[in-house]
Every structure is written in structure tokens, then in C-alpha cells.
Amino acid sequence: MGLNRVLFLEAEDQIKCIYIALRTSMVQDPTQFDVLVMPNLYGDILSDLCAGLIGGLGVTPSGNIGANGVAIFESVHGTAPDIAGLDMANPTALLLSAVMMLRHMGMHDYGKKIETACFDTIRDKKVLTGDLGGKSKCSEFTEEICRRVRDMD
Amino acid sequence: SGALLISHPIVLITKKMCAFQPPPAKYGGRHTVTLIPGDGIGPELLNHVKELFRFSCVPVDFEVVNVSSATEDDINNAITAIRRNGVALKGNIETLHTLPASHKSRNNLLRTSLDLYANVMHCKSLPGVQTRHNNIDIMIIRENTEGEYSSLEHESVSGVVECLKIITRTNSLRIAEYAFKLAREKGRKRVTAVHKANIMKLGDGLFLQCCREVAAGYPDIAFDAMIVDNTTMQLVSKPQQFDVMVMPNLYGNVVSNVCAGLVGGPGLVPGANYGRDYAVFETATRNTGKSIADRNIANPTAMLLASCMMLDHLKLHDYATMIRNAVLTTMNETRLHTADIGGQGTTSEVVQAIMRNIQRSRRLKLHLY
């Protein structure tokens, strides 16, 4: 099996095979990668690795797509029982998963609006939950996003 | 019960490990080491090693054995030579994906024929190299002979391939024992087993169970386990938490490469493959580096540090320390960094600088007497 992996990029029925030393490159310069497709185990490992690169499971959305458009969207973090019910959790992962769901359903405008509001709130750094270094509650963070969405209209 | 204890596999393995000695030096204190240039950047880097050894008057002679992917003979010659000399230094031999499944990777063949069951990689932050995370000091012990690299695949039904991952109690105990013994030798505090036993309940479950059994015999060393996907996430966000890690073959491949990336890339980290009777040294991430071959831009650090590991194995510690210190001192000069670590230096410039540093340290030693 060895170090080099095959990356299949499907672009309009054209399949390109690229041999790249994947893991070292991913850690050193992840920006060189665009879309990656792979079997189950490698996906498990790489998706967690990439989540670690962008800030962790608290901000990483995901979706599971099946045939006939059947899909389940979910955050991949755990249930976090220690902070459950305390208005402390970061809703970003689940929210962005919902945005993926909206896109899947063809509601791109709604998805874009919510995503932009969420990113702007995080970028602003004024209202952040504990895991992102802030002191705000989950409800405050959500309210800030809602405010931005309202202002967009 | 006394007789049972003596025949317990762990005791037998430990006895065997204690009994191993490096091969005797031949012809007046000079060691003979098998050298396999390999493909890509291997030949040029190993030429630099030979050059440096000659310059430093290291009492090692190299028996060069060329191996290509083409014939079966070459690899058998290499294996015979390593059996004869006991120690080898090698570049990576290219494994072409286009060849049929019956054609086994030459590197893999070497490892399994010589039963080099432990792949050891020491990932340490280097002072002169800019990286996102600092103060990394991780030892990775990877099972090197079985697991997902058993090359056992079949296609009973067209379009459906089954690939066998082999985990054995013997080899799992063996690698765990190696990890704990090494941890104790190096004064390390904690061993982490990396696995995916929640999914591969029997395979990785067995591996984990063996690690736990061995851990019980080392109460001075803490033991914990981490699932491989979480491990890679932790590595890229908080690598300082890891000390010694032990794992089956494929996870070892993944984790080694991630760690190499964390400390600055494949050009910097040496690797070693140890068996009961033989040892083979190479760069940790086993890259052929075809795209940068023969352009005088490859980073010689990994291969040079691998040659130092080899010298330590031959108990030529003074030479190992001298060359290693010269390599690390040179690393501090940013203008000499090669392209892979953000610089514009050439391979030969780096090697020349290392030789100057060796010269300087030798002059210093002479002045002290």
C-alpha cells in the first residue's frame, strides 16, 4: 500500500488520478487540497485530522448522503454530557450541518444567509462561546446570528 | 506454575531481545554495512552519507546492493547481504501502482523477510525550523510486518475485493513489549496505544488487549489508548500531549506522516526498522522523492540522521554524536535551509556546511588536549 495515495477527482465524467504524499502535505499545507474522495477508514481518519486543522469538532459540519436524495446531516462531535442543558454549547457544527441540509434541498439563498451571519459572528469575536475563547452563552451566540440575518433583509 | 512462567511468550521475547548483539566488526575494527541506494533521491542522499563518513573517518565500509522493482533477484541479493552484515542503510525502492497485485512491494518484502518487526520514529521539534507547533517529542513504534500490509487480497466476485488485515497475538505482544522496553530505556513516562477497536473489535481489540497485558508488567510507565481518528485530530491541535505511541501497521503509517509534517516535513525525520537479528535504517516517511531527484534540492537531514542512528546501533557513539551535532548546528543557519523547509539552499551547500561544522568541532577537541 505504501505512502502515496491515489486521489480521484471527478470533474464532469473526467477522472484524474493524482499521486500525492497526502498526510505530510495535509499537515504542512492543507490549502493545496480541494475535494478529496476516499474509502471509509481513510475518510474517518482524514476528516478528524482536517477538523483538527480548522478548529475542532465544535465547528465541523457533515452530511451522510444516500440514494434518491435521502440524507442525514449531523455534527460529528459527541453528546458532551458535562455541558448539556447549561446553555454553554457551541451550536456552530450543528448549524452549519443544517446549512448543508438547506443546500441539499435547493434552498441556497437561505443557506448562504445563515452561513454568512454565522461566519461574520465568529470573525467579529465579540460574542463567542467558551470553546472558541469567549464568554457568551449559546443563546446569546444564536441571537447574534439571528440579528445579523434580520439585518440582511 | 514456575515452568509456565518461563515459557510465557513475554518472558521468551524479553530473553531473546536481551541476547541480541550487533554484528561483530570485521577486519581491524571496521564495520561492513549494506547500502541500498533505492530510487528517486535515495542514491544522491546516500552518496552524501558516504562522502560525510569518509570525511569524518568513520570506520564503516559500505557494500552497495542495487535493487530495482523489475527483478526478483536483486531484492534477494539485498536480503542476503543484510543477513551477512546485520545492518543496512537504504533509500526507498519505488512501488509502481500499475504492476499486478502479485508483485509485492520490495520494501515490504525486505521488512517481512528479515522480520524487522519494529519501525521506530523519533519526532522531535528542531530548533532552527519554523513550525506551527513547538516542543514536540514523540516516539512512534509501529508494527512493521502484518496488519493491513499483509498483501492478502482476493476478488472472489468480480468488482468485490476482500483485503485481509492480519493481527496476531504473538506480533502484538512483541511490538508492545518493544514499545514499553524502549520507553523504560529512554526514561519516557507514558505509552499510548492507537487503535480502532470500537469498529474492528476482534483485530484491533486483540492488539489493545496485548498492549494492556504488557503494560501490566511495567507499573512505572503509564498506559492509555486512543482511537486513531481522534489521535490525528489531537496531533494537529495539541501534539505536546503525546509521549510514546504504539500501533498496528497502517495507523503507524498515518501517524508517522502526520508527525513528520508537524516537525517540518519528510526531509527531517530519520527512521529505523529493528528485528531480532537485523536493523535497517532509512528516512522515516519512506519517500522516493522522484520529482526532486537529481536536482540537488533534496533535504539530506533525514538520511544523515538515519546514518547517525545506524552508528549508534553499531556502538560508534562518538561518531554518531559528532555528525548529529554538526547536522543540528547547520539546521540553525536559516540561509542553508532547503526548499522543503522554506529555504533556497542546495543539498551540497548543506552537506558542505555540515563538514565545516565537523571540522570545527574536531579542531576544538584537539585544542583541549
Side-chain angles (χ1 to χ4, degrees):
Chain A
M1 282 163 65
L3 170 69
N4 295 324
R5 292 285 180 266
V6 176
L7 303 184
F8 293 94
L9 295 181
E10 215 171 71
E12 304 195 27
D13 299 332
Q14 207 182 3
I15 299 178
K16 275 194 271 180
C17 295
I18 301 169
Y19 294 78
I20 297 174
L22 186 59
R23 285 158 302 279
T24 324
S25 297
M26 180 65 84
V27 170
Q28 294 178 277
D29 181 22
T31 58
Q32 65 184 293
F33 297 103
D34 193 355
V35 176
L36 303 173
V37 60
M38 63 207 80
N40 213 332
L41 180 66
Y42 307 149
D44 193 11
I45 295 170
L46 269 180
S47 54
D48 271 35
L49 194 160
C50 292
L53 291 173
I54 60 139
L57 294 178
V59 296
T60 311
S62 82
N64 305 282
I65 319 293
N68 302 320
V70 175
I72 298 179
F73 297 86
E74 56 177 348
S75 55
V76 288
H77 57 64
T79 48
D82 50 333
I83 56 167
L86 300 174
D87 201 9
M88 283 172 63
N90 184 345
T92 305
L94 203 48
L95 187 61
L96 292 177
S97 301
V99 167
M100 280 178 78
M101 181 192 73
L102 290 173
R103 290 206 168 103
H104 179 78
M105 291 161 73
M107 298 190 214
H108 299 281
D109 290 339
Y110 290 106
K112 188 78 197 146
K113 223 183 274 185
I114 297 171
E115 188 187 62
T116 310
C118 182
F119 284 173
D120 287 345
T121 308
I122 295 174
R123 189 178 298 122
D124 227 16
K125 292 190 192 176
K126 293 209 188 83
V127 188
L128 291 177
T129 44
D131 62 307
L132 291 177
K135 293 193 175 63
S136 304
K137 295 194 227 163
C138 178
S139 45
E140 288 167 355
F141 180 76
T142 313
E143 180 48 44
E144 178 64 18
I145 298 174
C146 291
R147 188 187 64 75
R148 286 177 192 268
V149 171
R150 275 194 295 268
D151 289 345
M152 275 185 221
D153 293 328
Chain B
S1 73
L4 273 171
L5 272 172
I6 290 164
S7 61
H8 191 283
I10 293 177
V11 176
L12 281 173
I13 290 163
T14 320
K15 276 196 171 159
K16 279 184 185 165
M17 282 172 73
C18 294
F20 171 70
Q21 297 288 320
K26 305 170 193 178
Y27 305 122
R30 295 184 69 82
H31 296 263
T32 307
V33 168
T34 306
L35 190 88
I36 302 169
D39 300 309
I41 52 175
E44 65 194 83
L45 292 181
L46 289 169
N47 276 337
H48 286 301
V49 170
K50 282 197 272 190
E51 195 186 330
L52 205 70
F53 274 26
R54 243 194 322 265
F55 177 82
S56 317
C57 305
V58 176
V60 166
D61 296 314
F62 288 111
E63 180 188 354
V64 180
V65 183
N66 286 300
V67 180
S68 77
S69 305
T71 65
E72 188 79 39
D73 273 346
D74 292 343
I75 189 68
N76 289 333
N77 292 339
I79 292 168
T80 310
I82 299 172
R83 286 210 168 103
R84 188 168 50 240
N85 298 324
V87 180
L89 187 60
K90 73 181 272 285
N92 199 48
I93 305 159
E94 194 184 0
T95 309
L96 296 167
H97 296 260
T98 48
L99 290 169
S102 53
H103 180 274
K104 293 195 175 7
S105 146
R106 293 296 178 249
N107 305 300
N108 200 5
L109 211 52
L110 210 115
R111 288 191 289 271
T112 49
S113 307
L114 298 168
D115 200 22
L116 300 169
Y117 65 90
N119 177 253
V120 179
M121 177 173 158
H122 188 183
C123 254
K124 210 170 141 102
S125 294
L126 294 175
V129 183
Q130 283 273 62
T131 48
R132 185 175 171 174
H133 298 282
N134 297 309
N135 301 317
I136 299 171
D137 191 349
I138 305 173
M139 295 206 74
I140 300 163
I141 290 118
R142 163 187 175 184
E143 205 292 322
N144 217 9
T145 58
E146 59 179 26
E148 303 81 351
Y149 290 67
S150 306
S151 305
L152 293 169
E153 297 178 299
H154 51 264
E155 194 173 355
S156 307
V157 173
S158 171
V160 179
V161 174
E162 286 182 315
C163 175
L164 296 179
K165 164 175 164 162
I166 311 294
I167 300 283
T168 60
R169 189 169 160 74
T170 315
N171 291 349
S172 302
L173 285 173
R174 187 167 68 162
I175 196 68
E177 184 60 43
Y178 189 97
F180 276 91
K181 188 163 186 288
L182 190 67
R184 187 177 265 171
E185 244 170 65
K186 304 281 179 189
R188 312 286 280 214
K189 302 280 181 301
R190 193 160 58 94
V191 173
T192 305
V194 178
H195 66 97
K196 189 81 190 167
N198 50 336
I199 302 295
M200 282 169 268
K201 296 185 164 75
L202 292 183
D204 286 357
L206 174 60
F207 183 84
L208 203 54
Q209 175 56 29
C210 292
C211 290
R212 287 208 177 94
E213 279 178 34
V214 173
Y218 290 82
D220 51 319
I221 298 173
F223 171 72
D224 61 2
M226 197 183 275
I227 298 179
V228 61
D229 46 353
N230 187 24
T231 306
T232 54
M233 184 162 61
Q234 297 296 325
L235 277 169
V236 299
S237 39
K238 217 168 26 114
Q240 298 82 2
Q241 64 181 291
F242 295 103
D243 192 355
V244 177
M245 301 167 82
V246 64
M247 61 206 81
N249 217 331
L250 180 66
Y251 310 149
N253 181 213
V254 173
V255 169
S256 305
N257 275 261
V258 171
C259 288
L262 289 173
V263 297
L268 297 175
V269 194
N273 304 280
Y274 296 104
R276 193 195 65 173
D277 302 318
Y278 314 108
V280 175
F281 301 87
E282 56 182 347
T283 62
T285 48
R286 303 170 175 171
N287 298 71
T288 328
K290 252 172 79 173
S291 59
I292 57 169
D294 300 319
R295 286 163 58 187
N296 200 19
I297 53 174
N299 193 335
T301 308
M303 193 59 90
L304 288 172
L305 291 177
S307 70
C308 293
M309 288 179 83
M310 183 195 77
L311 291 173
D312 274 325
H313 181 76
L314 295 173
K315 306 237 190 291
L316 296 169
H317 299 295
D318 287 344
Y319 291 103
T321 311
M322 176 177 74
I323 296 175
R324 191 178 289 123
N325 286 345
V327 171
L328 296 177
T329 309
T330 310
M331 194 54 38
N332 283 323
E333 294 174 62
T334 335
R335 63 173 183 84
L336 285 172
H337 284 185
T338 41
D340 60 308
I341 45 174
Q344 286 168 329
T346 62
T347 320
S348 24
E349 279 169 7
V350 177
V351 176
Q352 293 298 319
I354 293 169
M355 290 203 273
R356 275 196 301 273
N357 279 322
I358 291 175
Q359 189 81 299
R360 211 169 290 145
S361 73
R362 272 207 290 225
R363 254 186 244 127
L364 212 70
K365 260 196 171 162
L366 286 170
H367 283 150
L368 291 170
Y369 290 102

